[in-house]
Amino acid sequence: MFQPEAPLVERRQVARDLFVLAFAAPEVAAAALPGQFVNLLLRPGPLLRRPFSVHRATEGRVEILLRAVGAGTAGLLALRPGDCVSLLGPLGAGFRLDAAWGSIALLSGGLGVAPFPLAAQAARAAGLEVTWVHGARTAADLCSEWEGDRVVWATDDGSRGFAGSAVDAVPEVGAILACGPNPMLAAVARRWPEAQVAVETYMGCGTGVCLGCAVPKAAGGYDRACSEGPVYRAGDIDWPALPDHLHYRLTA
Ligand SMILES: Cc1cc2nc3c(=O)[nH]c(=O)nc-3n(C[C@H](O)[C@H](O)[C@H](O)COP(=O)(O)OP(=O)(O)OC[C@H]3O[C@@H](n4cnc5c(N)ncnc54)[C@H](O)[C@@H]3O)c2cc1C
Ligand code: FES
């Protein structure tokens, strides 16, 4: 779906440098599934669209979660209510949910929390018990909003919740969905190869044409994160071959 003029309707701060932006986009909101993303274009702004996970999609609004890392994200954070972006989406293949799992953990590091409010709502609607496991470097970096049946916080410096990696704070559950820095996701893959992980790559077109979003597969060859992904079975990715340039997902 393509909405050339999606107005900003809300902006709120949820951690030290993390903000939620909500755009009025009723058709995209109605169609969005957990783990999918939208591709936003700012005018004036960078030439290429910028991809963002759908954070929430309710009441005709599409929310994204972001931190300023460059011109595109800084431009988005400078928008005022009523300013518009061009919005393309929902794109990509999202998380799979199965009521037979009984319970699920949504495991995130830093900005990796972005796809999980929508996933939590869908999982609960599917009858799953949801544990929200969210980690960051320090308490001020934790996203203050969460959804699910219970929450587990983790901080590298021990300032809130479990002291250490959020990966080590995951309770016994039927299935795990994870999103965060690639080293964290690689650790998830080693421990739980059946987990589903949302990965990030550079993206050009976001629609399967440019091959700029290649994800190396454990079985050989490459996938397109924008089309076959961004969600994968953790054990299916060749983690050492996936570049860790995605520093904006880091817990800092
Ligand atoms: C499927 C997907 C979902 C995403 N979801 C979110 C989200 O929910 N919230 C969020 O804040 N960000 C998300 N991102 C990342 C976001 O798209 C980039 O932060 C954004 O494009 C940066 O644009 P910029 O103009 O601000 O920065 P730029 O000036 O383009 O770049 C700033 C720095 O970030 C690096 N960078 C920029 N884009 C990418 C990229 N796609 N992959 C790797 N490195 C990059 C550059 O190398 C540079 O060092 C997602 C990316 C993908 C592919
Ligand atoms: S971003 Fe162009 S093919 Fe995926």
Side-chain angles (χ1 to χ4, degrees), residues 40-88:
L40 303 185
L41 184 66
L42 271 172
R43 286 195 208 92
L47 190 63
L48 291 177
R49 289 180 178 274
R50 299 296 196 242
F52 296 91
S53 303
V54 177
H55 189 55
R56 286 191 185 81
T58 46
E59 296 167 0
R61 298 154 37 125
V62 171
E63 287 188 0
I64 62 167
L65 175 79
L66 73 162
R67 169 189 299 140
V69 295
T73 42
L76 285 166
L77 288 175
L79 292 174
R80 287 167 307 180
D83 290 346
C84 290
V85 296
S86 161
L87 196 149
L88 190 63

mmCIF file of all heavy atoms in Angstrom, residues 40-88:
data_model
loop_
_atom_site.group_PDB
_atom_site.id
_atom_site.type_symbol
_atom_site.label_atom_id
_atom_site.label_comp_id
_atom_site.label_asym_id
_atom_site.label_seq_id
_atom_site.Cartn_x
_atom_site.Cartn_y
_atom_site.Cartn_z
ATOM 1 N N LEU A 40 9.683 4.781 4.695
ATOM 2 C CA LEU A 40 9.250 6.184 4.762
ATOM 3 C C LEU A 40 10.152 7.083 3.925
ATOM 4 O O LEU A 40 11.368 6.925 3.914
ATOM 5 C CB LEU A 40 9.296 6.676 6.213
ATOM 6 C CG LEU A 40 8.481 5.895 7.234
ATOM 7 C CD1 LEU A 40 8.542 6.601 8.587
ATOM 8 C CD2 LEU A 40 7.033 5.749 6.787
ATOM 9 N N LEU A 41 9.529 8.042 3.267
ATOM 10 C CA LEU A 41 10.282 9.041 2.506
ATOM 11 C C LEU A 41 9.924 10.424 3.026
ATOM 12 O O LEU A 41 8.746 10.779 3.152
ATOM 13 C CB LEU A 41 9.932 8.935 1.019
ATOM 14 C CG LEU A 41 10.729 9.858 0.096
ATOM 15 C CD1 LEU A 41 12.206 9.470 0.084
ATOM 16 C CD2 LEU A 41 10.165 9.793 -1.332
ATOM 17 N N LEU A 42 10.986 11.181 3.325
ATOM 18 C CA LEU A 42 10.838 12.569 3.808
ATOM 19 C C LEU A 42 11.057 13.518 2.644
ATOM 20 O O LEU A 42 12.001 13.330 1.873
ATOM 21 C CB LEU A 42 11.938 12.863 4.814
ATOM 22 C CG LEU A 42 11.739 12.582 6.268
ATOM 23 C CD1 LEU A 42 13.065 12.783 6.982
ATOM 24 C CD2 LEU A 42 10.698 13.509 6.840
ATOM 25 N N ARG A 43 10.245 14.547 2.557
ATOM 26 C CA ARG A 43 10.499 15.598 1.547
ATOM 27 C C ARG A 43 10.442 16.950 2.225
ATOM 28 O O ARG A 43 9.379 17.280 2.774
ATOM 29 C CB ARG A 43 9.450 15.532 0.434
ATOM 30 C CG ARG A 43 9.661 14.365 -0.478
ATOM 31 C CD ARG A 43 8.839 14.562 -1.743
ATOM 32 N NE ARG A 43 8.473 13.290 -2.328
ATOM 33 C CZ ARG A 43 7.344 12.649 -2.055
ATOM 34 N NH1 ARG A 43 6.482 13.138 -1.225
ATOM 35 N NH2 ARG A 43 7.098 11.505 -2.633
ATOM 36 N N PRO A 44 11.502 17.757 2.262
ATOM 37 C CA PRO A 44 12.824 17.402 1.766
ATOM 38 C C PRO A 44 13.500 16.404 2.691
ATOM 39 O O PRO A 44 13.156 16.325 3.877
ATOM 40 C CB PRO A 44 13.561 18.737 1.771
ATOM 41 C CG PRO A 44 12.893 19.522 2.853
ATOM 42 C CD PRO A 44 11.453 19.095 2.856
ATOM 43 N N GLY A 45 14.466 15.640 2.147
ATOM 44 C CA GLY A 45 15.152 14.646 2.957
ATOM 45 C C GLY A 45 16.019 13.786 2.080
ATOM 46 O O GLY A 45 16.189 14.079 0.891
ATOM 47 N N PRO A 46 16.570 12.681 2.655
ATOM 48 C CA PRO A 46 17.429 11.803 1.865
ATOM 49 C C PRO A 46 16.682 11.245 0.654
ATOM 50 O O PRO A 46 15.455 11.111 0.669
ATOM 51 C CB PRO A 46 17.786 10.689 2.853
ATOM 52 C CG PRO A 46 17.536 11.259 4.208
ATOM 53 C CD PRO A 46 16.440 12.250 4.049
ATOM 54 N N LEU A 47 17.446 10.884 -0.367
ATOM 55 C CA LEU A 47 16.877 10.403 -1.619
ATOM 56 C C LEU A 47 16.100 9.094 -1.433
ATOM 57 O O LEU A 47 15.028 8.902 -2.005
ATOM 58 C CB LEU A 47 18.038 10.185 -2.614
ATOM 59 C CG LEU A 47 17.685 9.920 -4.058
ATOM 60 C CD1 LEU A 47 16.965 11.139 -4.634
ATOM 61 C CD2 LEU A 47 18.967 9.637 -4.850
ATOM 62 N N LEU A 48 16.677 8.202 -0.618
ATOM 63 C CA LEU A 48 16.073 6.873 -0.467
ATOM 64 C C LEU A 48 15.115 6.830 0.719
ATOM 65 O O LEU A 48 15.290 7.533 1.713
ATOM 66 C CB LEU A 48 17.160 5.817 -0.231
ATOM 67 C CG LEU A 48 18.081 5.508 -1.409
ATOM 68 C CD1 LEU A 48 19.137 4.498 -0.981
ATOM 69 C CD2 LEU A 48 17.283 4.957 -2.591
ATOM 70 N N ARG A 49 14.127 5.949 0.593
ATOM 71 C CA ARG A 49 13.220 5.691 1.717
ATOM 72 C C ARG A 49 14.006 5.043 2.858
ATOM 73 O O ARG A 49 15.017 4.393 2.632
ATOM 74 C CB ARG A 49 12.094 4.742 1.269
ATOM 75 C CG ARG A 49 11.122 5.390 0.330
ATOM 76 C CD ARG A 49 10.016 4.438 -0.109
ATOM 77 N NE ARG A 49 9.111 5.172 -0.972
ATOM 78 C CZ ARG A 49 8.091 5.910 -0.540
ATOM 79 N NH1 ARG A 49 7.808 5.932 0.750
ATOM 80 N NH2 ARG A 49 7.338 6.586 -1.366
ATOM 81 N N ARG A 50 13.492 5.174 4.080
ATOM 82 C CA ARG A 50 14.114 4.571 5.249
ATOM 83 C C ARG A 50 13.145 3.558 5.869
ATOM 84 O O ARG A 50 11.986 3.890 6.140
ATOM 85 C CB ARG A 50 14.440 5.640 6.301
ATOM 86 C CG ARG A 50 15.427 6.727 5.822
ATOM 87 C CD ARG A 50 16.760 6.123 5.514
ATOM 88 N NE ARG A 50 17.844 7.079 5.407
ATOM 89 C CZ ARG A 50 18.565 7.283 4.307
ATOM 90 N NH1 ARG A 50 18.279 6.632 3.192
ATOM 91 N NH2 ARG A 50 19.570 8.131 4.317
ATOM 92 N N PRO A 51 13.628 2.300 6.101
ATOM 93 C CA PRO A 51 12.741 1.277 6.657
ATOM 94 C C PRO A 51 12.639 1.333 8.190
ATOM 95 O O PRO A 51 13.646 1.536 8.872
ATOM 96 C CB PRO A 51 13.409 -0.035 6.219
ATOM 97 C CG PRO A 51 14.857 0.302 6.056
ATOM 98 C CD PRO A 51 14.956 1.772 5.753
ATOM 99 N N PHE A 52 11.438 1.120 8.713
ATOM 100 C CA PHE A 52 11.190 1.059 10.160
ATOM 101 C C PHE A 52 10.173 -0.029 10.456
ATOM 102 O O PHE A 52 9.138 -0.115 9.794
ATOM 103 C CB PHE A 52 10.665 2.412 10.691
ATOM 104 C CG PHE A 52 11.666 3.513 10.539
ATOM 105 C CD1 PHE A 52 11.680 4.287 9.398
ATOM 106 C CD2 PHE A 52 12.630 3.728 11.510
ATOM 107 C CE1 PHE A 52 12.640 5.279 9.218
ATOM 108 C CE2 PHE A 52 13.593 4.717 11.340
ATOM 109 C CZ PHE A 52 13.604 5.496 10.200
ATOM 110 N N SER A 53 10.448 -0.820 11.488
ATOM 111 C CA SER A 53 9.497 -1.837 11.931
ATOM 112 C C SER A 53 8.188 -1.177 12.337
ATOM 113 O O SER A 53 8.194 -0.088 12.913
ATOM 114 C CB SER A 53 10.044 -2.588 13.149
ATOM 115 O OG SER A 53 11.294 -3.159 12.857
ATOM 116 N N VAL A 54 7.091 -1.863 12.101
ATOM 117 C CA VAL A 54 5.809 -1.382 12.615
ATOM 118 C C VAL A 54 5.796 -1.673 14.116
ATOM 119 O O VAL A 54 5.881 -2.827 14.539
ATOM 120 C CB VAL A 54 4.619 -2.061 11.919
ATOM 121 C CG1 VAL A 54 3.304 -1.581 12.536
ATOM 122 C CG2 VAL A 54 4.640 -1.782 10.422
ATOM 123 N N HIS A 55 5.716 -0.624 14.902
ATOM 124 C CA HIS A 55 5.788 -0.738 16.364
ATOM 125 C C HIS A 55 4.402 -1.105 16.913
ATOM 126 O O HIS A 55 4.238 -2.058 17.660
ATOM 127 C CB HIS A 55 6.265 0.614 16.904
ATOM 128 C CG HIS A 55 6.609 0.653 18.350
ATOM 129 N ND1 HIS A 55 7.520 -0.196 18.935
ATOM 130 C CD2 HIS A 55 6.175 1.481 19.349
ATOM 131 C CE1 HIS A 55 7.621 0.103 20.229
ATOM 132 N NE2 HIS A 55 6.816 1.095 20.510
ATOM 133 N N ARG A 56 3.427 -0.314 16.520
ATOM 134 C CA ARG A 56 2.013 -0.613 16.799
ATOM 135 C C ARG A 56 1.199 -0.215 15.571
ATOM 136 O O ARG A 56 1.640 0.628 14.782
ATOM 137 C CB ARG A 56 1.474 0.166 17.996
ATOM 138 C CG ARG A 56 1.941 -0.314 19.333
ATOM 139 C CD ARG A 56 1.165 0.340 20.483
ATOM 140 N NE ARG A 56 1.716 -0.060 21.760
ATOM 141 C CZ ARG A 56 2.803 0.484 22.316
ATOM 142 N NH1 ARG A 56 3.420 1.477 21.711
ATOM 143 N NH2 ARG A 56 3.242 0.056 23.485
ATOM 144 N N ALA A 57 0.016 -0.778 15.443
ATOM 145 C CA ALA A 57 -0.865 -0.434 14.320
ATOM 146 C C ALA A 57 -2.298 -0.527 14.827
ATOM 147 O O ALA A 57 -2.913 -1.587 14.758
ATOM 148 C CB ALA A 57 -0.643 -1.393 13.159
ATOM 149 N N THR A 58 -2.776 0.566 15.405
ATOM 150 C CA THR A 58 -4.131 0.564 15.956
ATOM 151 C C THR A 58 -4.823 1.881 15.632
ATOM 152 O O THR A 58 -4.167 2.914 15.449
ATOM 153 C CB THR A 58 -4.116 0.426 17.503
ATOM 154 O OG1 THR A 58 -3.137 1.308 18.022
ATOM 155 C CG2 THR A 58 -3.844 -0.992 17.939
ATOM 156 N N GLU A 59 -6.146 1.824 15.590
ATOM 157 C CA GLU A 59 -6.984 3.017 15.423
ATOM 158 C C GLU A 59 -6.508 3.894 14.267
ATOM 159 O O GLU A 59 -6.428 5.120 14.385
ATOM 160 C CB GLU A 59 -7.013 3.826 16.727
ATOM 161 C CG GLU A 59 -7.675 3.053 17.857
ATOM 162 C CD GLU A 59 -7.439 3.672 19.227
ATOM 163 O OE1 GLU A 59 -6.759 4.708 19.319
ATOM 164 O OE2 GLU A 59 -7.949 3.093 20.191
ATOM 165 N N GLY A 60 -6.160 3.240 13.154
ATOM 166 C CA GLY A 60 -5.796 3.987 11.958
ATOM 167 C C GLY A 60 -4.422 4.626 12.008
ATOM 168 O O GLY A 60 -4.067 5.407 11.128
ATOM 169 N N ARG A 61 -3.632 4.294 13.046
ATOM 170 C CA ARG A 61 -2.301 4.896 13.197
ATOM 171 C C ARG A 61 -1.225 3.829 13.069
ATOM 172 O O ARG A 61 -1.358 2.725 13.590
ATOM 173 C CB ARG A 61 -2.155 5.534 14.582
ATOM 174 C CG ARG A 61 -3.096 6.664 14.876
ATOM 175 C CD ARG A 61 -3.360 6.826 16.379
ATOM 176 N NE ARG A 61 -2.191 6.567 17.203
ATOM 177 C CZ ARG A 61 -1.693 7.427 18.086
ATOM 178 N NH1 ARG A 61 -2.260 8.591 18.278
ATOM 179 N NH2 ARG A 61 -0.642 7.124 18.804
ATOM 180 N N VAL A 62 -0.143 4.186 12.401
ATOM 181 C CA VAL A 62 1.043 3.335 12.361
ATOM 182 C C VAL A 62 2.108 4.000 13.213
ATOM 183 O O VAL A 62 2.480 5.151 12.966
ATOM 184 C CB VAL A 62 1.565 3.165 10.914
ATOM 185 C CG1 VAL A 62 2.909 2.457 10.911
ATOM 186 C CG2 VAL A 62 0.554 2.402 10.072
ATOM 187 N N GLU A 63 2.583 3.265 14.223
ATOM 188 C CA GLU A 63 3.654 3.796 15.068
ATOM 189 C C GLU A 63 4.992 3.195 14.675
ATOM 190 O O GLU A 63 5.074 2.003 14.347
ATOM 191 C CB GLU A 63 3.395 3.459 16.541
ATOM 192 C CG GLU A 63 2.274 4.267 17.165
ATOM 193 C CD GLU A 63 2.172 4.050 18.679
ATOM 194 O OE1 GLU A 63 2.971 3.260 19.247
ATOM 195 O OE2 GLU A 63 1.289 4.667 19.277
ATOM 196 N N ILE A 64 6.030 4.017 14.751
ATOM 197 C CA ILE A 64 7.406 3.520 14.630
ATOM 198 C C ILE A 64 8.192 4.005 15.845
ATOM 199 O O ILE A 64 7.813 4.988 16.487
ATOM 200 C CB ILE A 64 8.088 3.987 13.323
ATOM 201 C CG1 ILE A 64 8.187 5.527 13.270
ATOM 202 C CG2 ILE A 64 7.349 3.451 12.105
ATOM 203 C CD1 ILE A 64 9.104 6.036 12.183
ATOM 204 N N LEU A 65 9.283 3.284 16.127
ATOM 205 C CA LEU A 65 10.163 3.642 17.250
ATOM 206 C C LEU A 65 11.531 3.951 16.659
ATOM 207 O O LEU A 65 12.027 3.168 15.843
ATOM 208 C CB LEU A 65 10.275 2.450 18.200
ATOM 209 C CG LEU A 65 11.240 2.588 19.371
ATOM 210 C CD1 LEU A 65 10.614 3.410 20.487
ATOM 211 C CD2 LEU A 65 11.628 1.206 19.910
ATOM 212 N N LEU A 66 12.131 5.056 17.043
ATOM 213 C CA LEU A 66 13.428 5.367 16.438
ATOM 214 C C LEU A 66 14.308 6.218 17.338
ATOM 215 O O LEU A 66 13.844 6.827 18.302
ATOM 216 C CB LEU A 66 13.257 6.041 15.083
ATOM 217 C CG LEU A 66 12.782 7.491 15.043
ATOM 218 C CD1 LEU A 66 13.088 8.092 13.688
ATOM 219 C CD2 LEU A 66 11.294 7.569 15.302
ATOM 220 N N ARG A 67 15.580 6.217 16.946
ATOM 221 C CA ARG A 67 16.597 7.065 17.546
ATOM 222 C C ARG A 67 17.301 7.767 16.392
ATOM 223 O O ARG A 67 17.434 7.194 15.309
ATOM 224 C CB ARG A 67 17.584 6.194 18.316
ATOM 225 C CG ARG A 67 18.835 6.906 18.765
ATOM 226 C CD ARG A 67 19.865 5.945 19.328
ATOM 227 N NE ARG A 67 19.362 5.245 20.502
ATOM 228 C CZ ARG A 67 19.581 3.972 20.753
ATOM 229 N NH1 ARG A 67 20.274 3.230 19.922
ATOM 230 N NH2 ARG A 67 19.103 3.409 21.841
ATOM 231 N N ALA A 68 17.742 8.997 16.582
ATOM 232 C CA ALA A 68 18.435 9.721 15.509
ATOM 233 C C ALA A 68 19.831 9.142 15.309
ATOM 234 O O ALA A 68 20.635 9.119 16.247
ATOM 235 C CB ALA A 68 18.528 11.204 15.855
ATOM 236 N N VAL A 69 20.082 8.629 14.102
ATOM 237 C CA VAL A 69 21.431 8.135 13.782
ATOM 238 C C VAL A 69 21.998 8.824 12.549
ATOM 239 O O VAL A 69 23.174 8.709 12.257
ATOM 240 C CB VAL A 69 21.453 6.597 13.560
ATOM 241 C CG1 VAL A 69 21.110 5.860 14.834
ATOM 242 C CG2 VAL A 69 20.528 6.185 12.417
ATOM 243 N N GLY A 70 21.176 9.530 11.788
ATOM 244 C CA GLY A 70 21.635 10.178 10.563
ATOM 245 C C GLY A 70 20.564 11.142 10.068
ATOM 246 O O GLY A 70 19.607 11.469 10.789
ATOM 247 N N ALA A 71 20.710 11.556 8.806
ATOM 248 C CA ALA A 71 19.836 12.606 8.277
ATOM 249 C C ALA A 71 18.362 12.190 8.260
ATOM 250 O O ALA A 71 17.477 12.988 8.595
ATOM 251 C CB ALA A 71 20.288 12.975 6.863
ATOM 252 N N GLY A 72 18.090 10.935 7.867
ATOM 253 C CA GLY A 72 16.698 10.499 7.752
ATOM 254 C C GLY A 72 15.996 10.455 9.102
ATOM 255 O O GLY A 72 14.897 11.010 9.274
ATOM 256 N N THR A 73 16.633 9.814 10.070
ATOM 257 C CA THR A 73 16.012 9.695 11.393
ATOM 258 C C THR A 73 15.948 11.067 12.083
ATOM 259 O O THR A 73 14.957 11.379 12.748
ATOM 260 C CB THR A 73 16.779 8.676 12.257
ATOM 261 O OG1 THR A 73 18.185 8.871 12.068
ATOM 262 C CG2 THR A 73 16.414 7.250 11.878
ATOM 263 N N ALA A 74 16.980 11.898 11.897
ATOM 264 C CA ALA A 74 16.939 13.245 12.489
ATOM 265 C C ALA A 74 15.795 14.049 11.865
ATOM 266 O O ALA A 74 15.074 14.778 12.566
ATOM 267 C CB ALA A 74 18.270 13.961 12.285
ATOM 268 N N GLY A 75 15.613 13.908 10.549
ATOM 269 C CA GLY A 75 14.520 14.611 9.871
ATOM 270 C C GLY A 75 13.164 14.160 10.368
ATOM 271 O O GLY A 75 12.251 14.970 10.572
ATOM 272 N N LEU A 76 13.020 12.853 10.611
ATOM 273 C CA LEU A 76 11.743 12.343 11.127
ATOM 274 C C LEU A 76 11.462 12.909 12.516
ATOM 275 O O LEU A 76 10.331 13.292 12.838
ATOM 276 C CB LEU A 76 11.766 10.812 11.175
ATOM 277 C CG LEU A 76 11.631 10.108 9.828
ATOM 278 C CD1 LEU A 76 11.998 8.633 9.938
ATOM 279 C CD2 LEU A 76 10.202 10.246 9.308
ATOM 280 N N LEU A 77 12.520 12.968 13.331
ATOM 281 C CA LEU A 77 12.318 13.461 14.697
ATOM 282 C C LEU A 77 12.084 14.971 14.738
ATOM 283 O O LEU A 77 11.623 15.494 15.744
ATOM 284 C CB LEU A 77 13.496 13.063 15.583
ATOM 285 C CG LEU A 77 13.523 11.567 15.921
ATOM 286 C CD1 LEU A 77 14.780 11.192 16.689
ATOM 287 C CD2 LEU A 77 12.276 11.177 16.723
ATOM 288 N N ALA A 78 12.381 15.642 13.632
ATOM 289 C CA ALA A 78 12.140 17.094 13.574
ATOM 290 C C ALA A 78 10.734 17.418 13.063
ATOM 291 O O ALA A 78 10.342 18.592 13.051
ATOM 292 C CB ALA A 78 13.186 17.760 12.685
ATOM 293 N N LEU A 79 9.990 16.390 12.656
ATOM 294 C CA LEU A 79 8.635 16.644 12.143
ATOM 295 C C LEU A 79 7.752 17.209 13.250
ATOM 296 O O LEU A 79 7.889 16.840 14.419
ATOM 297 C CB LEU A 79 8.006 15.341 11.625
ATOM 298 C CG LEU A 79 8.612 14.701 10.380
ATOM 299 C CD1 LEU A 79 7.948 13.353 10.115
ATOM 300 C CD2 LEU A 79 8.458 15.620 9.170
ATOM 301 N N ARG A 80 6.798 18.063 12.843
ATOM 302 C CA ARG A 80 5.819 18.573 13.791
ATOM 303 C C ARG A 80 4.462 17.982 13.456
ATOM 304 O O ARG A 80 4.234 17.540 12.311
ATOM 305 C CB ARG A 80 5.775 20.098 13.714
ATOM 306 C CG ARG A 80 7.008 20.739 14.348
ATOM 307 C CD ARG A 80 7.108 22.185 14.006
ATOM 308 N NE ARG A 80 7.041 22.368 12.558
ATOM 309 C CZ ARG A 80 7.114 23.546 11.958
ATOM 310 N NH1 ARG A 80 7.236 24.638 12.653
ATOM 311 N NH2 ARG A 80 7.050 23.636 10.632
ATOM 312 N N PRO A 81 3.528 17.930 14.413
ATOM 313 C CA PRO A 81 2.204 17.359 14.134
ATOM 314 C C PRO A 81 1.609 17.986 12.876
ATOM 315 O O PRO A 81 1.648 19.213 12.702
ATOM 316 C CB PRO A 81 1.402 17.719 15.375
ATOM 317 C CG PRO A 81 2.426 17.821 16.456
ATOM 318 C CD PRO A 81 3.674 18.366 15.809
ATOM 319 N N GLY A 82 1.108 17.127 12.001
ATOM 320 C CA GLY A 82 0.525 17.595 10.739
ATOM 321 C C GLY A 82 1.493 17.509 9.575
ATOM 322 O O GLY A 82 1.070 17.427 8.426
ATOM 323 N N ASP A 83 2.826 17.513 9.859
ATOM 324 C CA ASP A 83 3.800 17.318 8.778
ATOM 325 C C ASP A 83 3.638 15.903 8.218
ATOM 326 O O ASP A 83 3.324 14.960 8.966
ATOM 327 C CB ASP A 83 5.239 17.473 9.300
ATOM 328 C CG ASP A 83 5.572 18.920 9.660
ATOM 329 O OD1 ASP A 83 4.805 19.815 9.268
ATOM 330 O OD2 ASP A 83 6.593 19.132 10.350
ATOM 331 N N CYS A 84 3.880 15.740 6.916
ATOM 332 C CA CYS A 84 3.603 14.457 6.269
ATOM 333 C C CYS A 84 4.861 13.752 5.783
ATOM 334 O O CYS A 84 5.851 14.393 5.434
ATOM 335 C CB CYS A 84 2.676 14.669 5.067
ATOM 336 S SG CYS A 84 1.000 15.116 5.557
ATOM 337 N N VAL A 85 4.796 12.415 5.775
ATOM 338 C CA VAL A 85 5.805 11.593 5.093
ATOM 339 C C VAL A 85 5.071 10.763 4.042
ATOM 340 O O VAL A 85 3.858 10.557 4.134
ATOM 341 C CB VAL A 85 6.531 10.626 6.066
ATOM 342 C CG1 VAL A 85 7.326 11.400 7.100
ATOM 343 C CG2 VAL A 85 5.545 9.667 6.730
ATOM 344 N N SER A 86 5.820 10.283 3.062
ATOM 345 C CA SER A 86 5.276 9.306 2.122
ATOM 346 C C SER A 86 5.530 7.924 2.725
ATOM 347 O O SER A 86 6.654 7.623 3.144
ATOM 348 C CB SER A 86 5.974 9.469 0.772
ATOM 349 O OG SER A 86 5.802 8.301 0.005
ATOM 350 N N LEU A 87 4.491 7.109 2.773
ATOM 351 C CA LEU A 87 4.578 5.854 3.516
ATOM 352 C C LEU A 87 4.220 4.680 2.602
ATOM 353 O O LEU A 87 3.166 4.661 1.973
ATOM 354 C CB LEU A 87 3.601 5.947 4.700
ATOM 355 C CG LEU A 87 3.725 4.968 5.842
ATOM 356 C CD1 LEU A 87 3.277 5.622 7.141
ATOM 357 C CD2 LEU A 87 2.875 3.748 5.573
ATOM 358 N N LEU A 88 5.136 3.702 2.551
ATOM 359 C CA LEU A 88 4.940 2.501 1.738
ATOM 360 C C LEU A 88 4.947 1.298 2.672
ATOM 361 O O LEU A 88 5.868 1.149 3.468
ATOM 362 C CB LEU A 88 6.096 2.408 0.747
ATOM 363 C CG LEU A 88 6.057 1.396 -0.383
ATOM 364 C CD1 LEU A 88 4.897 1.699 -1.323
ATOM 365 C CD2 LEU A 88 7.380 1.462 -1.154
#
